[in-house]
Coordinates of all heavy atoms in Angstrom, one line a residue:
M1 N -17.0 -23.1 7.3 CA -17.0 -21.8 8.0 C -17.9 -22.0 9.2 O -19.0 -22.5 9.1 CB -17.4 -20.7 7.1 CG -17.8 -19.4 7.9 SD -18.3 -18.0 6.9 CE -19.0 -18.6 5.5
M2 N -17.4 -21.5 10.3 CA -18.2 -21.5 11.6 C -18.3 -20.1 12.1 O -17.4 -19.4 12.1 CB -17.6 -22.4 12.6 CG -18.3 -22.6 13.9 SD -17.5 -23.8 14.9 CE -18.5 -23.8 16.3
I3 N -19.6 -19.7 12.5 CA -19.8 -18.4 13.0 C -20.3 -18.5 14.4 O -21.3 -19.1 14.7 CB -20.8 -17.6 12.2 CG1 -20.4 -17.5 10.7 CG2 -21.1 -16.2 12.7 CD1 -21.5 -16.9 9.8
S4 N -19.5 -17.9 15.4 CA -19.9 -18.0 16.8 C -20.2 -16.6 17.3 O -19.4 -15.7 17.2 CB -18.7 -18.5 17.6 OG -18.3 -19.7 17.2
P5 N -21.5 -16.3 17.7 CA -21.9 -15.0 18.2 C -21.5 -14.9 19.6 O -21.7 -15.8 20.4 CB -23.4 -15.0 17.9 CG -23.8 -16.4 18.0 CD -22.6 -17.2 17.5
V6 N -21.1 -13.6 20.0 CA -20.8 -13.3 21.4 C -21.3 -11.9 21.7 O -21.1 -11.0 20.9 CB -19.2 -13.3 21.6 CG1 -18.9 -13.0 23.1 CG2 -18.6 -14.7 21.3
W7 N -22.0 -11.8 22.8 CA -22.6 -10.5 23.1 C -21.4 -9.6 23.6 O -20.6 -10.0 24.4 CB -23.6 -10.6 24.2 CG -24.2 -9.3 24.7 CD1 -24.8 -8.4 23.9 CD2 -24.3 -8.8 26.0 NE1 -25.2 -7.3 24.7 CE2 -24.9 -7.6 26.0 CE3 -23.8 -9.3 27.3 CZ2 -25.1 -6.8 27.1 CZ3 -24.0 -8.6 28.4 CH2 -24.7 -7.3 28.3
G8 N -21.3 -8.4 23.0 CA -20.2 -7.5 23.3 C -20.6 -6.4 24.3 O -19.8 -5.6 24.7
G9 N -21.9 -6.4 24.7 CA -22.4 -5.3 25.6 C -23.3 -4.4 24.9 O -23.1 -4.1 23.8
G10 N -24.3 -3.9 25.7 CA -25.3 -3.0 25.1 C -25.9 -3.6 23.9 O -26.5 -4.7 23.9
D11 N -25.9 -2.9 22.7 CA -26.5 -3.4 21.5 C -25.4 -3.9 20.5 O -25.6 -4.0 19.3 CB -27.4 -2.4 20.8 CG -26.6 -1.2 20.4 OD1 -25.4 -1.0 20.7 OD2 -27.2 -0.3 19.7
E12 N -24.2 -4.3 21.0 CA -23.2 -4.8 20.2 C -22.9 -6.3 20.4 O -23.0 -6.8 21.5 CB -21.9 -4.0 20.5 CG -22.0 -2.5 20.1 CD -20.7 -1.8 20.2 OE1 -19.7 -2.4 20.5 OE2 -20.7 -0.6 20.0
F13 N -22.6 -6.9 19.3 CA -22.3 -8.3 19.3 C -21.0 -8.5 18.5 O -20.7 -7.8 17.5 CB -23.4 -9.2 18.6 CG -24.7 -9.1 19.4 CD1 -25.6 -8.1 19.3 CD2 -24.9 -10.2 20.3 CE1 -26.8 -8.1 20.1 CE2 -26.1 -10.1 21.1 CZ -27.0 -9.1 21.0
V14 N -20.3 -9.6 18.8 CA -19.1 -9.9 18.1 C -19.4 -11.3 17.4 O -19.9 -12.2 18.0 CB -17.9 -10.1 19.0 CG1 -16.7 -10.7 18.3 CG2 -17.6 -8.8 19.7
L15 N -19.1 -11.3 16.1 CA -19.2 -12.6 15.4 C -17.8 -13.1 15.1 O -17.1 -12.4 14.4 CB -20.0 -12.4 14.1 CG -21.4 -12.0 14.2 CD1 -22.0 -11.8 12.8 CD2 -22.2 -13.0 14.9
L16 N -17.5 -14.2 15.6 CA -16.2 -14.8 15.4 C -16.3 -15.9 14.3 O -17.0 -16.9 14.4 CB -15.6 -15.5 16.6 CG -14.3 -16.2 16.5 CD1 -13.2 -15.2 16.1 CD2 -14.0 -16.9 17.8
F17 N -15.7 -15.6 13.1 CA -15.7 -16.5 12.0 C -14.4 -17.3 12.1 O -13.3 -16.8 12.2 CB -15.6 -15.7 10.7 CG -16.9 -15.0 10.3 CD1 -17.5 -14.1 11.1 CD2 -17.6 -15.4 9.1 CE1 -18.6 -13.4 10.7 CE2 -18.7 -14.7 8.7 CZ -19.3 -13.8 9.5
S18 N -14.6 -18.6 12.1 CA -13.4 -19.5 12.1 C -13.4 -20.5 10.9 O -14.5 -20.7 10.3 CB -13.3 -20.3 13.4 OG -14.5 -21.0 13.7
G19 N -12.3 -21.0 10.6 CA -12.2 -21.9 9.5 C -12.2 -21.2 8.1 O -12.5 -21.9 7.1
L20 N -11.8 -20.0 8.1 CA -11.7 -19.2 6.8 C -10.3 -19.3 6.2 O -9.3 -19.3 7.0 CB -12.1 -17.8 7.0 CG -13.4 -17.5 7.6 CD1 -13.6 -16.0 7.8 CD2 -14.5 -18.0 6.7
T21 N -10.2 -19.4 4.9 CA -8.9 -19.4 4.3 C -8.7 -18.2 3.4 O -7.6 -17.8 3.1 CB -8.7 -20.7 3.5 OG1 -9.8 -20.8 2.5 CG2 -8.7 -21.9 4.3
E22 N -9.8 -17.6 3.0 CA -9.8 -16.4 2.1 C -10.7 -15.3 2.6 O -11.8 -15.6 3.2 CB -10.2 -16.8 0.7 CG -9.4 -17.9 0.0 CD -7.9 -17.5 -0.3 OE1 -7.7 -16.3 -0.5 OE2 -7.1 -18.3 -0.3
T23 N -10.4 -14.1 2.3 CA -11.2 -13.0 2.7 C -12.6 -13.1 2.0 O -13.6 -12.8 2.6 CB -10.6 -11.6 2.2 OG1 -9.3 -11.5 2.8 CG2 -11.5 -10.4 2.5
E24 N -12.7 -13.7 0.8 CA -13.9 -13.9 0.1 C -14.9 -14.8 0.9 O -16.1 -14.6 0.8 CB -13.7 -14.4 -1.3 CG -13.0 -13.4 -2.2 CD -11.5 -13.2 -2.0 OE1 -10.8 -14.2 -1.4 OE2 -11.0 -12.2 -2.3
D25 N -14.3 -15.7 1.6 CA -15.1 -16.6 2.4 C -15.9 -15.8 3.5 O -17.0 -16.1 3.8 CB -14.3 -17.7 3.1 CG -13.6 -18.7 2.1 OD1 -14.1 -18.8 1.0 OD2 -12.6 -19.3 2.5
A26 N -15.2 -14.9 4.1 CA -15.8 -14.0 5.1 C -16.9 -13.2 4.5 O -18.0 -13.0 5.1 CB -14.8 -13.1 5.8
I27 N -16.6 -12.6 3.3 CA -17.6 -11.8 2.7 C -18.9 -12.5 2.4 O -20.0 -12.0 2.6 CB -17.0 -11.2 1.4 CG1 -15.9 -10.1 1.8 CG2 -18.1 -10.5 0.5 CD1 -15.1 -9.6 0.7
V28 N -18.8 -13.8 2.0 CA -20.0 -14.6 1.8 C -20.8 -14.7 3.1 O -22.0 -14.5 3.1 CB -19.6 -16.0 1.3 CG1 -20.8 -17.0 1.3 CG2 -19.1 -15.9 -0.1
G29 N -20.1 -15.0 4.2 CA -20.8 -15.1 5.5 C -21.4 -13.7 5.9 O -22.5 -13.7 6.4
L30 N -20.7 -12.6 5.7 CA -21.2 -11.3 6.0 C -22.4 -10.9 5.2 O -23.4 -10.4 5.8 CB -20.1 -10.3 5.8 CG -18.9 -10.3 6.8 CD1 -17.7 -9.5 6.2 CD2 -19.3 -9.8 8.1
E31 N -22.4 -11.2 4.0 CA -23.6 -10.9 3.1 C -24.8 -11.7 3.6 O -25.9 -11.3 3.6 CB -23.2 -11.2 1.7 CG -22.3 -10.1 1.1 CD -21.8 -10.4 -0.3 OE1 -22.1 -11.4 -0.9 OE2 -21.2 -9.5 -0.8
R32 N -24.5 -13.0 4.0 CA -25.6 -13.8 4.5 C -26.2 -13.2 5.8 O -27.4 -13.2 6.0 CB -25.1 -15.2 4.7 CG -26.2 -16.2 5.0 CD -25.8 -17.6 4.9 NE -24.8 -17.9 6.0 CZ -23.8 -18.8 5.9 NH1 -23.7 -19.6 4.8 NH2 -23.0 -19.0 6.9
V33 N -25.3 -12.8 6.7 CA -25.7 -12.2 8.0 C -26.6 -10.9 7.7 O -27.7 -10.7 8.3 CB -24.5 -11.8 8.9 CG1 -24.9 -11.0 10.0 CG2 -23.9 -13.1 9.4
V34 N -26.1 -10.0 6.8 CA -26.8 -8.8 6.5 C -28.2 -9.1 5.9 O -29.2 -8.4 6.3 CB -26.0 -7.9 5.6 CG1 -26.8 -6.7 5.0 CG2 -24.8 -7.3 6.3
T35 N -28.2 -10.1 5.0 CA -29.5 -10.4 4.4 C -30.5 -11.0 5.4 O -31.7 -10.6 5.4 CB -29.3 -11.5 3.3 OG1 -28.4 -10.9 2.3 CG2 -30.6 -12.0 2.7
V36 N -30.1 -11.9 6.3 CA -31.0 -12.4 7.3 C -31.4 -11.4 8.3 O -32.6 -11.3 8.6 CB -30.3 -13.6 8.0 CG1 -31.1 -14.1 9.2 CG2 -30.1 -14.8 7.1
I37 N -30.5 -10.5 8.7 CA -30.9 -9.5 9.7 C -31.9 -8.5 9.1 O -32.8 -8.0 9.7 CB -29.7 -8.8 10.3 CG1 -28.9 -9.7 11.2 CG2 -30.0 -7.5 11.0 CD1 -27.6 -9.2 11.7
G38 N -31.7 -8.2 7.8 CA -32.5 -7.2 7.1 C -33.9 -7.6 6.8 O -34.7 -6.8 6.4
K39 N -34.2 -8.9 6.9 CA -35.6 -9.4 6.6 C -36.6 -8.9 7.6 O -36.2 -8.7 8.8 CB -35.6 -10.9 6.6 CG -34.9 -11.5 5.4 CD -35.1 -13.0 5.4 CE -34.4 -13.6 4.2 NZ -34.5 -15.1 4.1
P40 N -37.8 -8.5 7.2 CA -38.8 -8.0 8.2 C -39.3 -9.2 9.1 O -39.3 -10.3 8.7 CB -39.9 -7.5 7.3 CG -39.8 -8.2 6.0 CD -38.3 -8.5 5.8
Y41 N -39.6 -8.8 10.3 CA -40.1 -9.7 11.3 C -41.5 -9.2 11.7 O -41.7 -8.0 11.8 CB -39.2 -9.7 12.5 CG -37.8 -10.2 12.3 CD1 -36.8 -9.4 12.0 CD2 -37.5 -11.6 12.4 CE1 -35.5 -9.8 11.7 CE2 -36.3 -12.1 12.1 CZ -35.2 -11.2 11.8 OH -34.0 -11.6 11.6
I42 N -42.4 -10.1 11.8 CA -43.8 -9.8 12.3 C -43.9 -10.1 13.7 O -43.7 -11.3 14.2 CB -44.8 -10.5 11.5 CG1 -44.7 -10.3 10.0 CG2 -46.2 -10.1 11.9 CD1 -44.8 -8.9 9.5
I43 N -44.1 -9.1 14.5 CA -44.2 -9.2 16.0 C -45.6 -8.6 16.4 O -45.8 -7.4 16.2 CB -43.1 -8.6 16.7 CG1 -41.7 -9.2 16.3 CG2 -43.2 -8.7 18.2 CD1 -40.5 -8.5 16.8
A44 N -46.4 -9.4 17.0 CA -47.8 -8.9 17.4 C -48.5 -8.2 16.3 O -49.1 -7.2 16.5 CB -47.6 -8.1 18.7
G45 N -48.4 -8.7 15.1 CA -49.0 -8.1 13.9 C -48.4 -6.9 13.3 O -48.9 -6.3 12.4
H46 N -47.2 -6.5 13.8 CA -46.5 -5.4 13.3 C -45.2 -5.8 12.6 O -44.5 -6.7 13.1 CB -46.1 -4.4 14.4 CG -47.3 -3.9 15.2 ND1 -48.1 -2.9 14.7 CD2 -47.9 -4.2 16.4 CE1 -49.1 -2.6 15.5 NE2 -49.0 -3.4 16.6
E47 N -45.0 -5.2 11.5 CA -43.7 -5.5 10.8 C -42.6 -4.7 11.4 O -42.7 -3.5 11.6 CB -43.8 -5.1 9.3 CG -42.6 -5.5 8.5 CD -42.7 -5.2 7.0 OE1 -43.5 -5.9 6.4 OE2 -42.0 -4.3 6.5
C48 N -41.5 -5.4 11.8 CA -40.4 -4.8 12.4 C -39.1 -5.1 11.6 O -39.0 -6.2 11.0 CB -40.2 -5.3 13.8 SG -41.6 -5.0 14.9
R49 N -38.2 -4.2 11.5 CA -37.0 -4.4 10.8 C -35.8 -4.0 11.7 O -35.9 -3.1 12.5 CB -36.9 -3.5 9.5 CG -37.9 -3.9 8.5 CD -37.7 -3.1 7.2 NE -38.7 -3.6 6.2 CZ -38.5 -4.5 5.3 NH1 -37.3 -5.1 5.3 NH2 -39.4 -4.8 4.4
V50 N -34.8 -4.8 11.5 CA -33.5 -4.6 12.3 C -32.4 -4.4 11.3 O -32.4 -5.0 10.2 CB -33.2 -5.8 13.1 CG1 -31.9 -5.7 13.8 CG2 -34.3 -6.1 14.1
T51 N -31.5 -3.4 11.6 CA -30.4 -3.2 10.7 C -29.1 -3.5 11.5 O -29.1 -3.5 12.7 CB -30.4 -1.8 10.1 OG1 -30.2 -0.9 11.2 CG2 -31.6 -1.5 9.3
A52 N -28.1 -3.7 10.8 CA -26.8 -4.0 11.4 C -25.7 -3.2 10.7 O -25.7 -3.1 9.5 CB -26.4 -5.5 11.3
S53 N -24.9 -2.6 11.5 CA -23.7 -1.9 11.0 C -22.5 -2.8 11.5 O -22.3 -2.9 12.7 CB -23.5 -0.5 11.6 OG -24.6 0.3 11.2
I54 N -21.8 -3.4 10.5 CA -20.8 -4.4 10.8 C -19.4 -3.9 10.5 O -19.2 -3.4 9.4 CB -21.1 -5.7 10.1 CG1 -22.5 -6.2 10.5 CG2 -20.1 -6.8 10.4 CD1 -23.0 -7.4 9.6
G55 N -18.5 -4.1 11.4 CA -17.1 -3.8 11.1 C -16.3 -5.1 11.2 O -16.6 -5.9 12.1
V56 N -15.3 -5.2 10.4 CA -14.6 -6.4 10.3 C -13.1 -6.2 10.3 O -12.6 -5.3 9.7 CB -14.9 -7.2 8.9 CG1 -14.1 -8.4 8.8 CG2 -16.4 -7.4 8.7
A57 N -12.4 -6.9 11.1 CA -10.9 -6.9 11.2 C -10.5 -8.4 11.2 O -11.1 -9.3 11.7 CB -10.4 -6.2 12.4
F58 N -9.4 -8.6 10.5 CA -8.9 -10.0 10.3 C -7.6 -10.3 11.1 O -6.7 -9.5 11.1 CB -8.6 -10.3 8.8 CG -9.8 -10.3 7.9 CD1 -10.1 -9.2 7.2 CD2 -10.6 -11.4 7.9 CE1 -11.2 -9.2 6.4 CE2 -11.7 -11.4 7.0 CZ -12.0 -10.3 6.3
F59 N -7.6 -11.5 11.7 CA -6.4 -12.0 12.4 C -5.7 -13.0 11.4 O -6.4 -13.8 10.8 CB -6.8 -12.8 13.6 CG -5.6 -13.5 14.2 CD1 -4.8 -12.9 15.1 CD2 -5.4 -14.8 13.9 CE1 -3.7 -13.6 15.7 CE2 -4.3 -15.5 14.5 CZ -3.5 -14.9 15.4
P60 N -4.4 -12.9 11.1 CA -3.4 -12.0 11.7 C -3.1 -10.8 10.8 O -2.3 -10.0 11.1 CB -2.2 -12.9 11.8 CG -2.3 -13.7 10.6 CD -3.8 -14.0 10.4
D61 N -3.9 -10.6 9.7 CA -3.6 -9.5 8.8 C -3.7 -8.1 9.3 O -2.8 -7.3 9.0 CB -4.5 -9.6 7.5 CG -4.3 -11.0 6.8 OD1 -3.3 -11.6 7.0 OD2 -5.2 -11.3 6.0
D62 N -4.7 -7.9 10.1 CA -4.9 -6.5 10.7 C -4.3 -6.3 12.0 O -3.9 -5.2 12.4 CB -6.4 -6.2 10.7 CG -7.0 -6.2 9.3 OD1 -6.4 -5.7 8.4 OD2 -8.2 -6.6 9.2
A63 N -4.3 -7.4 12.9 CA -3.8 -7.3 14.2 C -3.5 -8.7 14.8 O -4.1 -9.6 14.3 CB -4.7 -6.5 15.1
L64 N -2.7 -8.7 15.8 CA -2.4 -10.0 16.4 C -3.0 -10.3 17.8 O -2.9 -11.4 18.3 CB -0.8 -10.1 16.5 CG -0.1 -10.1 15.2 CD1 1.4 -10.1 15.5 CD2 -0.5 -11.2 14.3
T65 N -3.6 -9.2 18.3 CA -4.3 -9.4 19.6 C -5.8 -9.1 19.5 O -6.2 -8.4 18.7 CB -3.7 -8.5 20.7 OG1 -4.0 -7.1 20.4 CG2 -2.2 -8.6 20.8
G66 N -6.5 -9.8 20.4 CA -8.0 -9.6 20.5 C -8.4 -8.1 20.7 O -9.3 -7.6 20.1
D67 N -7.7 -7.5 21.6 CA -8.0 -6.1 21.9 C -7.9 -5.2 20.7 O -8.8 -4.4 20.4 CB -7.1 -5.5 23.0 CG -7.4 -6.1 24.4 OD1 -8.5 -6.8 24.5 OD2 -6.6 -5.9 25.3
I68 N -6.8 -5.3 20.0 CA -6.6 -4.5 18.8 C -7.6 -4.9 17.7 O -8.1 -4.0 17.0 CB -5.1 -4.6 18.3 CG1 -4.2 -4.1 19.4 CG2 -4.9 -3.7 17.0 CD1 -4.4 -2.6 19.8
L69 N -7.8 -6.2 17.5 CA -8.8 -6.6 16.5 C -10.2 -6.0 16.8 O -10.8 -5.5 15.9 CB -8.9 -8.1 16.5 CG -7.9 -8.9 15.7 CD1 -8.0 -10.4 16.0 CD2 -8.0 -8.6 14.2
L70 N -10.6 -6.0 18.0 CA -11.9 -5.4 18.4 C -11.9 -3.9 18.1 O -12.9 -3.4 17.7 CB -12.3 -5.8 19.8 CG -12.7 -7.2 20.1 CD1 -12.8 -7.4 21.6 CD2 -13.9 -7.6 19.3
R71 N -10.8 -3.3 18.5 CA -10.7 -1.8 18.2 C -10.9 -1.5 16.7 O -11.6 -0.6 16.3 CB -9.5 -1.3 18.8 CG -9.3 0.2 18.6 CD -8.0 0.7 19.1 NE -8.0 2.1 19.5 CZ -7.8 2.6 20.7 NH1 -7.5 1.8 21.7 NH2 -7.9 3.8 20.8
Y72 N -10.1 -2.3 15.9 CA -10.2 -2.1 14.5 C -11.5 -2.4 13.9 O -12.0 -1.7 13.0 CB -9.1 -2.9 13.8 CG -7.7 -2.3 14.0 CD1 -6.6 -3.0 13.6 CD2 -7.4 -1.1 14.7 CE1 -5.3 -2.6 13.8 CE2 -6.2 -0.6 14.9 CZ -5.1 -1.4 14.4 OH -3.8 -0.9 14.6
A73 N -12.2 -3.5 14.4 CA -13.5 -3.8 13.9 C -14.5 -2.7 14.3 O -15.4 -2.4 13.5 CB -13.9 -5.2 14.5
D74 N -14.3 -2.1 15.5 CA -15.1 -1.0 15.9 C -15.0 0.2 15.0 O -16.0 0.8 14.6 CB -14.8 -0.7 17.3 CG -15.9 0.0 18.1 OD1 -17.0 -0.4 18.0 OD2 -15.6 1.1 18.7
L75 N -13.8 0.5 14.6 CA -13.5 1.6 13.6 C -14.3 1.3 12.3 O -14.9 2.2 11.7 CB -12.0 1.8 13.4 CG -11.2 2.4 14.6 CD1 -9.8 2.3 14.3 CD2 -11.7 3.8 14.9
A76 N -14.2 0.1 11.9 CA -14.8 -0.3 10.6 C -16.3 -0.2 10.7 O -17.1 0.2 9.8 CB -14.4 -1.7 10.1
M77 N -16.9 -0.6 11.9 CA -18.3 -0.5 12.2 C -18.8 0.9 12.1 O -19.8 1.2 11.5 CB -18.6 -1.1 13.5 CG -20.1 -1.0 13.9 SD -20.5 -1.2 15.6 CE -19.6 0.2 16.4
Y78 N -18.0 1.9 12.6 CA -18.5 3.3 12.5 C -18.5 3.7 11.1 O -19.3 4.6 10.7 CB -17.6 4.2 13.4 CG -18.1 4.0 14.9 CD1 -17.3 3.3 15.8 CD2 -19.3 4.5 15.3 CE1 -17.7 3.1 17.1 CE2 -19.8 4.3 16.6 CZ -19.0 3.7 17.5 OH -19.4 3.5 18.8
R79 N -17.6 3.2 10.3 CA -17.6 3.5 8.8 C -18.9 3.0 8.2 O -19.5 3.7 7.4 CB -16.4 2.9 8.2 CG -16.3 3.0 6.7 CD -16.2 4.4 6.2 NE -16.3 4.5 4.8 CZ -17.3 5.1 4.2 NH1 -18.3 5.6 4.8 NH2 -17.4 5.1 2.9
S80 N -19.3 1.8 8.6 CA -20.6 1.3 8.1 C -21.8 2.2 8.5 O -22.7 2.4 7.7 CB -20.9 -0.1 8.6 OG -19.9 -1.0 8.1
K81 N -21.8 2.7 9.7 CA -22.8 3.5 10.2 C -22.9 4.8 9.4 O -23.9 5.3 9.0 CB -22.7 3.9 11.7 CG -23.0 2.7 12.6 CD -22.9 3.1 14.0 CE -23.3 1.9 14.9 NZ -23.5 2.3 16.3
Q82 N -21.7 5.4 9.1 CA -21.6 6.6 8.3 C -22.1 6.4 6.9 O -22.6 7.3 6.3 CB -20.2 7.2 8.3 CG -19.7 7.7 9.7 CD -18.2 7.9 9.7 OE1 -17.5 7.6 8.7 NE2 -17.7 8.6 10.7
A83 N -21.9 5.2 6.4 CA -22.2 4.9 5.0 C -23.7 4.6 4.8 O -24.1 4.3 3.7 CB -21.3 3.8 4.5
G84 N -24.5 4.5 5.9 CA -25.9 4.3 5.7 C -26.4 3.1 6.4 O -27.6 2.7 6.2
R85 N -25.7 2.4 7.2 CA -26.1 1.2 8.0 C -26.5 0.0 7.2 O -26.5 0.1 6.0 CB -27.3 1.6 8.9 CG -26.9 2.7 9.9 CD -28.0 3.1 10.8 NE -27.6 4.3 11.6 CZ -27.3 4.2 12.9 NH1 -27.3 3.1 13.5 NH2 -27.0 5.3 13.5
N86 N -26.9 -1.0 7.9 CA -27.2 -2.3 7.3 C -26.2 -2.8 6.2 O -26.6 -3.2 5.1 CB -28.7 -2.3 6.7 CG -29.2 -3.7 6.8 OD1 -29.0 -4.5 7.7 ND2 -29.9 -4.1 5.8
Q87 N -25.0 -2.7 6.6 CA -23.9 -3.1 5.7 C -22.7 -3.4 6.5 O -22.7 -3.2 7.7 CB -23.6 -2.1 4.6 CG -23.2 -0.7 5.2 CD -23.1 0.3 4.1 OE1 -22.3 0.2 3.2 NE2 -24.0 1.3 4.2
Y88 N -21.6 -3.9 5.9 CA -20.4 -4.2 6.6 C -19.3 -3.4 5.9 O -19.3 -3.0 4.7 CB -20.1 -5.7 6.5 CG -19.9 -6.3 5.2 CD1 -18.6 -6.2 4.5 CD2 -20.9 -6.8 4.5 CE1 -18.5 -6.7 3.3 CE2 -20.8 -7.3 3.2 CZ -19.5 -7.3 2.6 OH -19.4 -7.8 1.3
S89 N -18.2 -3.1 6.7 CA -17.0 -2.5 6.2 C -15.8 -3.3 6.7 O -15.8 -3.7 7.9 CB -16.9 -1.0 6.7 OG -17.9 -0.3 6.2
L90 N -14.9 -3.5 5.9 CA -13.6 -4.1 6.3 C -12.6 -3.1 6.8 O -12.5 -2.0 6.2 CB -13.0 -4.9 5.1 CG -13.9 -5.9 4.4 CD1 -13.2 -6.6 3.2 CD2 -14.5 -6.9 5.3
Y91 N -11.9 -3.4 7.8 CA -10.9 -2.5 8.4 C -9.9 -2.2 7.3 O -9.4 -3.1 6.6 CB -10.3 -3.1 9.7 CG -9.1 -2.2 10.1 CD1 -9.4 -1.0 10.8 CD2 -7.8 -2.6 9.8 CE1 -8.3 -0.3 11.2 CE2 -6.8 -1.8 10.2 CZ -7.0 -0.6 10.9 OH -6.0 0.1 11.3
A92 N -9.5 -0.9 7.3 CA -8.3 -0.5 6.4 C -7.5 0.4 7.3 O -8.0 1.1 8.1 CB -8.8 0.2 5.2
A93 N -6.2 0.4 7.1 CA -5.2 1.1 7.9 C -5.5 2.6 8.0 O -5.3 3.2 9.1 CB -3.8 0.9 7.4
Y94 N -6.1 3.2 7.0 CA -6.4 4.6 7.1 C -7.4 5.0 8.2 O -7.4 6.1 8.7 CB -6.9 5.2 5.7 CG -8.3 4.9 5.4 CD1 -9.4 5.6 5.9 CD2 -8.6 3.7 4.6 CE1 -10.7 5.3 5.6 CE2 -10.0 3.4 4.4 CZ -11.0 4.2 4.9 OH -12.3 3.9 4.6
M95 N -8.2 4.0 8.5 CA -9.2 4.2 9.6 C -8.6 4.6 10.9 O -9.1 5.3 11.7 CB -10.1 3.0 9.7 CG -11.0 2.8 8.5 SD -12.0 1.2 8.7 CE -12.8 1.2 7.2
S96 N -7.4 4.0 11.2 CA -6.7 4.3 12.4 C -6.3 5.8 12.5 O -6.0 6.3 13.6 CB -5.5 3.4 12.6 OG -5.9 2.1 12.7
D97 N -6.1 6.4 11.4 CA -5.8 7.9 11.4 C -6.8 8.7 12.1 O -6.5 9.8 12.6 CB -5.6 8.4 10.0 CG -4.4 7.7 9.3 OD1 -3.5 7.2 9.9 OD2 -4.4 7.8 8.0
F98 N -8.1 8.2 12.2 CA -9.1 9.0 12.8 C -9.5 8.5 14.2 O -10.4 9.0 14.8 CB -10.4 8.9 11.9 CG -10.2 9.4 10.5 CD1 -10.0 8.5 9.5 CD2 -10.0 10.7 10.3 CE1 -9.7 8.9 8.2 CE2 -9.8 11.2 9.0 CZ -9.6 10.3 8.0
D99 N -8.7 7.5 14.7 CA -8.9 6.9 16.0 C -8.3 7.9 17.0 O -7.1 8.2 17.0 CB -8.3 5.6 16.1 CG -8.6 4.9 17.4 OD1 -9.5 5.3 18.1 OD2 -7.9 3.8 17.7
T100 N -9.2 8.5 17.9 CA -8.7 9.5 18.8 C -8.4 9.0 20.2 O -7.9 9.7 21.1 CB -9.8 10.6 19.0 OG1 -11.0 10.0 19.4 CG2 -10.0 11.3 17.7
E101 N -8.6 7.7 20.5 CA -8.3 7.2 21.8 C -6.8 6.7 21.9 O -6.2 6.2 21.0 CB -9.2 6.0 22.1 CG -10.6 6.4 22.4 CD -11.5 5.3 22.8 OE1 -11.0 4.5 23.6 OE2 -12.7 5.3 22.4

């Protein structure tokens, strides 16, 4: 599995996972990302914590174009934020029912 980070603008990043054959492979990578991000960092003697709300959409299962994949991952990310942050959510079709754009 290879993970390529790309800055998405503002405080958002896109992680492109390649070389996956099963959804479970992505989950292993996602859990590793959440664990590493959630560790405390010491900066100038102060403990700092970062959290991540991660949304996931799969090609070609969820969408066939990059624009739609990003939109669906964004919907899933907002689900993670609503659920308490520092976690990931996989896109599910019902999430599109709440997409107002």
Side-chain angles (χ1 to χ4, degrees):
M1 164 179 30
M2 184 172 177
I3 304 173
S4 303
V6 179
W7 179 55
D11 64 350
E12 294 186 4
F13 293 85
V14 173
L15 296 178
L16 177 62
F17 286 61
S18 57
L20 302 176
T21 57
E22 302 291 331
T23 301
E24 292 76 23
D25 296 337
I27 290 171
V28 168
L30 291 164
E31 289 175 352
R32 193 168 64 207
V33 168
V34 169
T35 298
V36 169
I37 288 174
K39 289 183 177 182
Y41 297 90
I42 306 299
I43 300 174
H46 299 281
E47 183 176 293
C48 301
R49 292 186 180 267
V50 176
T51 62
S53 299
I54 301 171
V56 181
F58 292 100
F59 172 86
D61 298 343
D62 295 324
L64 297 176
T65 67
D67 289 346
I68 300 299
L69 278 170
L70 288 173
R71 182 183 202 119
Y72 288 172
D74 203 46
L75 290 172
M77 177 196 63
Y78 283 106
R79 173 68 186 109
S80 292
K81 286 184 177 190
Q82 291 170 348
R85 301 179 187 257
N86 208 39
Q87 57 187 298
Y88 62 88
S89 295
L90 305 181
Y91 171 78
Y94 77 85
M95 293 175 182
S96 294
D97 294 341
F98 303 102
D99 187 11
T100 58
E101 289 185 38

